[in-house]
Amino acid sequence: MLNVLVVDDEPKHRQGLSRMLKNLRPEYHIFNARDGAEALERMELHPIDLVFTDIQMPIMDGLEFVEHLTRRGGSESVVILSAYSDFAYAQRALQLGASDYLLKPVEAQKVTPLLQKAEHKAGALREATIESALSELLEESPADADITLLQRSFSGWRRGISLGAVIHTSGADRKRMLSLLKRMLAHIMEEAGLAHAFYVTDQWLTGVILSADVSFDITYALEAQLQELIDYFRNDHERELTFGFGKYFTEWGQGAHCSNQQARIALQSLFYDGPGKLYKSDRANPTGPSAVFHLDAGKLAKAILSGKKDGIHACLMTELDRTLAQGYPDPSRLKYSVAASIHHVTSILKEKGLSHTPDAVFEGALMRCSRMDELRETACQWALDMANHIDQRRQCKSETVVDSCKAYIEANYGEEDLSLSTLAVKFHFNPSYFCILFKNHTRMTIHQYITHIRMRAAASQLLHTSQKVYQVAENVGYRDVKYFIRLFRKEYGTSPDEYRHLSATRI
């Protein structure tokens, strides 16, 4: 239904066109004016969608009238009524912003396409205006004019519900898919006799469905058709569509806004239970302080230090399961909570002097998780990578310590008290652990390595000096010559004297 204004100083033409329009569209509201000035007064009192205006008029002619409309920036369509002798004026009116012109006398078959064009424009504009007002109401703090517009546009409704929808794709494809969904939903609502308004953002489709029946169960009536839509997007477009419904509301303002928030909360269930479903707000688990992830950071730090993957996994999964048993928190809140808990663990490890991998990479991956199973895997990988990094650092540190120990032995093999216990004290290790660490890296115990280095040094002295055997024994740390000879024979298969003699003979 349009509001139409006919502007002509000739009563016969003015009344004749008004009757023609009423016959073509009985539902239209038709207004009249004798010139441009009176037309502007009419437009101050009534919103006008379509204007038919003559050019040659007293007081304010059609060209000046069109200029006024262009300057005020209205959205109405303007059609110029022109005689053949006024055609140059009609061209000027088109340049000023008029949308079409008709040659007099006006014929019904030429008016009808212009009405259809104006209806389409007015409908699109009205839809955009309603969507804008609805967006302000549901997303922000609406102005009184927004609520008034919605009340006027949907005067017959008595019960409404908010709907949200997400299609799991990205970028331009998401916007295209949501626009397609919007058209399909509008068709379903019109067939069901339900008033509706939907708008699309970069992330989702949001809207309201309204019924004139205060007891009508909207979601029950539509559930099968919405499931068909989910199947259609999955099968024909390979995209997962998820719906979320709020609770019913009976007034614009806070009621509709709360229903929209509930629909958003219902949509959060797809993070936990997966996409491709229809979620209702009464199915969404409650949220609250009790549903925040609280990790025993000390326990996880101990598991990481142990390097046991099963222990790390069990520690994280137990706490996540405990959290979800109390309710489904907002996914963003849960992600931040898990990240904060793991950061706490890294702080504990830092205090122990243990370095760790950069947190930013893992935190970013955690925040991008779109499903609960992804979050579980990412959190566990974060902790396992810390354990692996610490183990690698330990390995590197152990190798450094063992190399330092070997160098010390090679430089101080002549010290009589050189032993596992003295070396463990020097390098600040428990003797038992130090012995295991050294053997893991050298395939020898510390005692075996000391003996090996001493025997190698003794062999060199026997070949390159004329010192007595007992002197060589003392040089390499042995007071007991017999013990030295026994060790040398075990190392080289011969006594020190025989070794010197046989080596000299080979030379």
Side-chain angles (χ1 to χ4, degrees), residues 280-339:
K280 299 177 184 178
S281 61
D282 56 359
R283 285 184 55 194
N285 288 336
T287 61
S290 62
V292 177
F293 183 73
H294 290 297
L295 177 68
D296 186 335
K299 185 176 180 180
L300 180 57
K302 189 182 245 183
I304 289 171
L305 288 172
S306 74
K308 295 179 179 177
K309 292 183 179 180
D310 290 347
I312 293 170
H313 184 270
C315 184
L316 280 167
M317 296 309 109
T318 298
E319 289 306 312
L320 283 168
D321 289 343
R322 182 193 60 78
T323 299
L324 299 186
Q326 299 174 64
Y328 285 174
D330 178 286
S332 296
R333 187 180 182 188
L334 178 64
K335 293 175 195 177
Y336 279 113
S337 183
V338 172

Side-chain angles (χ1 to χ4, degrees), residues 416-443:
E416 188 177 355
D417 62 348
L418 190 64
S419 65
L420 168 62
S421 57
T422 58
L423 289 169
V425 170
K426 179 170 184 60
F427 290 95
H428 311 291
F429 277 95
N430 174 275
S432 298
Y433 174 74
F434 193 41
C435 184
I436 295 170
L437 180 66
F438 193 92
K439 187 170 183 180
N440 286 340
H441 283 80
T442 64
R443 308 293 183 185

